[in-house]
Amino acid sequence: MREVAVVGIGSTPTGELWDQGLRDLAADAARAALQDAGLETVDALYVANAFGASISTQSHLAPLIADYAGLRGIEAIGIEAADASGGAALRTGYLAVASGLVETVMVLGVEKSTDMIGAARVRARAVSLDSDDEALHGATLSALAALLMRRYMYEYELELSAFEGFSINAHANGAKFAGAMYRNILKPGSFARAPMIADPVSLFDGAPDADGAAAVILTSHARAADLVPQPVRLVGSGAATDSLALAERDDPLWLGAIERSTAAALAMAGITRDQIDLFELHDSFTIMAALALEAAGFAERGEGWKLATDASIGLTGDLPIATFGGLKSRGNPVGATGLYQAVEAVMQLRGTAGANQVAQAQIALIQSVGGVGSSAFTHVLAL
Amino acid sequence: MREVAVVGIGSTPTGELWDQGLRDLAADAARAALQDAGLETVDALYVANAFGASISTQSHLAPLIADYAGLRGIEAIGIEAADASGGAALRTGYLAVASGLVETVMVLGVEKSTDMIGAARVRARAVSLDSDDEALHGATLSALAALLMRRYMYEYELELSAFEGFSINAHANGAKFAGAMYRNILKPGSFARAPMIADPVSLFDGAPDADGAAAVILTSHARAADLVPQPVRLVGSGAATDSLALAERDDPLWLGAIERSTAAALAMAGITRDQIDLFELHDSFTIMAALALEAAGFAERGEGWKLATDASIGLTGDLPIATFGGLKSRGNPVGATGLYQAVEAVMQLRGTAGANQVAQAQIALIQSVGGVGSSAFTHVLAL
């Protein structure tokens, strides 16, 4: 198995980008990544997208995007795992380069979440839940997160305010980053005043749907050193799943896919949790951040929320998360989110994160999660 | 890079299977493949599907199917390349095993094409065309195939009857196979009497939309020998794309993605065309079969149709195609079609194809194509 490195990154700002289509956003990110790597082309393109068919009436995206990115004709494949599509595609690209059969791969995520509004978008997004057991009965991802959050609050006797530290941290970081979707500061007490989406999940709790595209270019570590002064190595990759339907799980408050994919990635990288300098986790809802910290082994069960109550998760804390605003403030371009995490982690390790820099970052953990923990892809990047 | 082999196959009959959902069909194929390999589980599942979101209101299929197949928790990823999804997933699985990081992979394709009818299905299927340049203006895959066919007939001064040999051959083979969707025999003169779908593409020309699921299990060749008496080696894999929109191509009658993916697969396998004992090609329309034979190098330009005018493509011919009926008679369960090809090729090489057996088959070429040649994945299987 060959060692793999990231030699190029590119991304668009996130937001409601109504002037740009899927192909435009994707081409922008692709060109930026090629320029960053100093490459004219790549051998393969893996495209992560969650709602092309249901929101944008466009599937078979991979050849389309290859063409619009100036790469017509290369190998191109679409990868889907709901909001974990980006992480799934990163793993697919990693395996392709590691095999020795594909020299250089662009892994690109793109989403146009905001081309539908209101109930139409809610229905279009619900295709990624269990259609028979969840979506048919009116469940949405926000509603499932609300069920998890309420159960967690009950089990551990918590108030709503226990969670708001995650959103406050995300917005504090996003406010410093020009590419973020919502750069406003949130203050303590915000959750108590926020409009409810699905009680107890509020507008200030759930991450906003966004449009955007992000790409990384992978190649063998041997070749990477010739291309760029500072290749970032991809040293660990783990993948796992759980039932698609939340109700099928014996223990809904334990996200087993996150536990197992994290353990696999860390074991492969040969590192321990205390070596990790930052953790880009899937903060689609604050409850998902709390549960991810527990399942990934950074907090005891029932105590993930505590990390958000002091400076632990801040840029200067023990375990910085959402360093560019995370899903909550930077925005959640669903299928592309896992690639934004990868781009941001590479910027941290290169030391080019500007106002969002984590000092002396050497090792980053990134984690892409689909639904309420049905899919989880975890990667370790290191200098 | 490790050598890779197929150690298990499983598939459902194809047809209008209204009593079974996506998850049921997939679980049936998965269990059959596990049983065939003598395995209880695998390390990863790659799921090919084209229209889950647009026809079945179900994406995020991979963890769902893993769960229903008794594999809850394993790595699972969805792969999409329209009707080439099956071939794309096969390549993804191949790369994963070749990398040495994943020991055993199930590659499974599933589709429920017939859960929508009439105009709704036509619209739901059109998401795989270029939404801006084709689908928005009313184009369908059949209409694009009709444009290609008419141009071909004009360029080479052909009548409709020049193509019917492909359908006659497919149905002759499908009639012998209990799992095929349409087992009727077609006779010379059929095309002249067939109702038109999109002139000159008729009901007897285009392959029927089908429901179905098929799976293969891949592992390293070293391990395969311990598992089954007769592992079939996957010795060549090639992938290429072309523009998604047909009108973007300088030369619409030359399917460049097929040419390049075939050349890559043959070069990797180190074989020449005359060593190939059978070729499962993507006969979604007879014009696609003719053009594939030309681009893949089995016929001169403008002469692919001639192979269907004698016994060349029959079970005892020089280049048997559609040996179990192909897309035309066995049926086209879109995202699963590439895996049906793989299952059928393995049966041919094992010598278990029964009435459909190609005598002394040692090397099989299979080719999965998306749209009118926008994606092409070609694999070589050998004893």
Side-chain angles (χ1 to χ4, degrees), chain B residues 6-197:
Chain B
V6 182
V7 293
I9 56 173
S11 61
T12 71
T14 47
E16 297 191 354
L17 308 175
W18 295 338
D19 291 341
Q20 290 172 285
L22 272 172
R23 63 191 77 188
D24 308 310
L25 289 171
D28 283 355
R31 281 189 290 258
L34 286 168
Q35 186 171 20
D36 183 56
L39 290 171
E40 298 282 320
T41 188
V42 291
D43 299 307
L45 171 71
Y46 298 147
V47 175
N49 172 262
F51 298 123
S54 63
I55 293 184
S56 311
T57 60
Q58 182 69 70
S59 65
H60 209 183
L61 270 174
L64 179 72
I65 289 172
D67 193 7
Y68 277 78
L71 304 168
R72 184 187 289 188
I74 65 165
E75 171 183 355
I77 296 176
I79 308 289
E80 193 269 333
D83 24 347
S85 299
L90 186 61
R91 178 164 172 85
T92 309
Y94 171 76
L95 293 172
V97 174
S99 78
L101 199 75
V102 184
E103 192 60 32
T104 305
V105 173
M106 181 183 293
V107 185
L108 183 147
V110 62
E111 201 76 61
K112 284 283 293 178
S113 305
T114 75
D115 278 355
M116 279 186 176
I117 56 170
R121 192 198 296 175
V122 171
R123 273 193 299 273
R125 288 202 54 154
V127 297
S128 66
L129 307 180
D130 187 314
S131 61
D132 293 4
D133 294 344
E134 294 177 331
L136 182 66
H137 309 285
T140 64
L141 190 57
S142 300
L144 296 175
L147 290 174
L148 277 180
M149 189 168 174
R150 189 162 289 290
R151 175 67 172 259
Y152 189 94
M153 290 167 73
Y154 169 79
E155 292 282 349
Y156 305 119
E157 299 177 5
L158 297 172
E159 300 294 321
L160 202 54
S161 59
F163 300 86
E164 67 181 10
F166 290 112
S167 294
I168 290 168
N169 174 67
H171 279 257
N173 295 343
K176 298 177 185 173
F177 175 48
M181 184 170 182
Y182 289 118
R183 300 181 64 195
N184 57 309
I185 295 283
L186 291 185
K187 292 180 181 159
S190 294
F191 272 29
R193 295 188 302 271
M196 280 296 163
I197 305 270

Side-chain angles (χ1 to χ4, degrees), chain B residues 269-292:
Chain B
I271 62 161
T272 54
R273 287 173 182 79
D274 58 0
Q275 292 178 270
I276 291 166
D277 296 310
L278 63 124
F279 180 21
E280 291 299 337
L281 53 71
H282 190 82
D283 57 326
S284 49
F285 300 93
T286 60
I287 182 66
M288 290 299 292
L291 292 175

Side-chain angles (χ1 to χ4, degrees), chain A residues 1-2 23 46 50-54 56-64 66-68 71-84 88-89 91-92 94-96 98-102 126-133 135 237 239-245 248-250 257 260 268 370-371 374-375 377, chain B residues 1-2 23 46 50-54 56-64 66-68 71-84 88-89 91-92 94-96 98-102 126-133 135 237 239-245 248-250 257 260 268 370-371 374-375 377:
Chain A
M1 200 186 76
R2 294 201 294 188
R23 64 190 78 186
Y46 297 148
F51 298 122
S54 63
S56 312
T57 60
Q58 183 68 70
S59 65
H60 208 184
L61 271 174
L64 179 73
D67 193 8
Y68 277 79
L71 305 168
R72 183 187 290 189
I74 66 167
E75 171 184 355
I77 296 176
I79 307 289
E80 194 269 331
D83 25 347
R91 179 166 172 84
T92 308
Y94 172 76
L95 293 172
S99 77
L101 199 74
V102 184
V127 298
S128 66
L129 306 181
D130 187 314
S131 62
D132 292 4
D133 294 345
S237 175
T241 56
D242 204 334
S243 68
L244 187 57
E248 293 290 322
R249 300 180 200 161
D250 294 333
R260 285 174 283 111
M268 186 177 159
S374 303
S375 293
F377 298 89
Chain B
M1 199 186 77
R2 294 203 294 189
R23 63 191 77 188
Y46 298 147
F51 298 123
S54 63
S56 311
T57 60
Q58 182 69 70
S59 65
H60 209 183
L61 270 174
L64 179 72
D67 193 7
Y68 277 78
L71 304 168
R72 184 187 289 188
I74 65 165
E75 171 183 355
I77 296 176
I79 308 289
E80 193 269 333
D83 24 347
R91 178 164 172 85
T92 309
Y94 171 76
L95 293 172
S99 78
L101 199 75
V102 184
V127 297
S128 66
L129 307 180
D130 187 314
S131 61
D132 293 4
D133 294 344
S237 175
T241 55
D242 204 334
S243 68
L244 187 57
E248 293 289 323
R249 299 180 200 161
D250 295 333
R260 286 173 283 112
M268 186 176 159
S374 304
S375 293
F377 298 89

Side-chain angles (χ1 to χ4, degrees), chain A residues 21-354:
Chain A
L22 272 173
R23 64 190 78 186
D24 309 309
L25 289 171
D28 283 354
R31 280 190 291 257
L34 286 168
Q35 185 171 20
D36 184 55
L39 289 171
E40 297 283 320
T41 188
V42 292
D43 299 307
L45 172 71
Y46 297 148
V47 175
N49 171 262
F51 298 122
S54 63
I55 292 185
S56 312
T57 60
Q58 183 68 70
S59 65
H60 208 184
L61 271 174
L64 179 73
I65 290 172
D67 193 8
Y68 277 79
L71 305 168
R72 183 187 290 189
I74 66 167
E75 171 184 355
I77 296 176
I79 307 289
E80 194 269 331
D83 25 347
S85 299
L90 186 61
R91 179 166 172 84
T92 308
Y94 172 76
L95 293 172
V97 175
S99 77
L101 199 74
V102 184
E103 192 59 33
T104 305
V105 174
M106 181 183 293
V107 185
L108 184 148
V110 61
E111 201 76 62
K112 285 283 294 180
S113 304
T114 74
D115 278 354
M116 279 185 176
I117 56 170
R121 191 199 298 175
V122 171
R123 274 193 299 273
R125 288 201 53 153
V127 298
S128 66
L129 306 181
D130 187 314
S131 62
D132 292 4
D133 294 345
E134 294 178 331
L136 182 67
H137 308 285
T140 64
L141 190 57
S142 300
L144 295 175
L147 290 174
L148 277 180
M149 190 168 174
R150 190 163 288 292
R151 174 68 172 259
Y152 190 95
M153 291 167 72
Y154 169 79
E155 291 283 347
Y156 306 119
E157 299 177 5
L158 297 172
E159 301 295 321
L160 202 53
S161 59
F163 299 86
E164 67 181 11
F166 289 112
S167 294
I168 291 169
N169 173 67
H171 280 257
N173 294 344
K176 299 177 185 171
F177 174 48
M181 184 171 181
Y182 288 118
R183 300 181 64 195
N184 57 310
I185 296 284
L186 292 185
K187 292 181 182 160
S190 295
F191 273 28
R193 297 187 302 271
M196 280 295 164
I197 305 270
D199 192 358
V201 169
S202 72
L203 192 66
F204 293 167
D205 181 316
D209 294 347
D211 308 328
V216 301
I217 297 176
L218 309 179
T219 191
S220 64
H221 191 243
R223 181 166 180 238
D226 297 334
L227 285 172
V228 291
Q230 220 176 355
V232 169
R233 293 176 302 139
L234 196 44
V235 294
S237 175
T241 56
D242 204 334
S243 68
L244 187 57
L246 178 60
E248 293 290 322
R249 300 180 200 161
D250 294 333
D251 183 354
L253 293 183
W254 187 254
L255 300 182
I258 287 181
E259 177 192 15
R260 285 174 283 111
S261 72
T262 306
L266 294 180
M268 186 177 159
I271 62 162
T272 54
R273 287 173 182 77
D274 59 1
Q275 292 178 269
I276 291 166
D277 296 310
L278 63 123
F279 180 20
E280 291 299 336
L281 53 70
H282 191 83
D283 57 325
S284 50
F285 300 94
T286 60
I287 181 65
M288 289 299 291
L291 292 174
L293 288 167
E294 296 172 21
F298 294 99
E300 293 296 314
R301 188 170 173 139
E303 300 189 352
W305 65 276
K306 288 186 183 171
L307 293 178
T309 59
D310 56 27
S312 299
I313 58 172
L315 290 179
T316 59
D318 287 343
L319 187 70
I321 70 172
T323 65
F324 285 82
L327 279 63
K328 178 66 193 79
S329 167
R330 180 245 291 132
N332 179 16
V334 189
T337 293
L339 275 314
Y340 276 92
Q341 294 176 324
V343 166
E344 290 160 4
V346 168
M347 290 171 72
Q348 291 288 0
L349 298 183
R350 285 179 178 176
T352 59

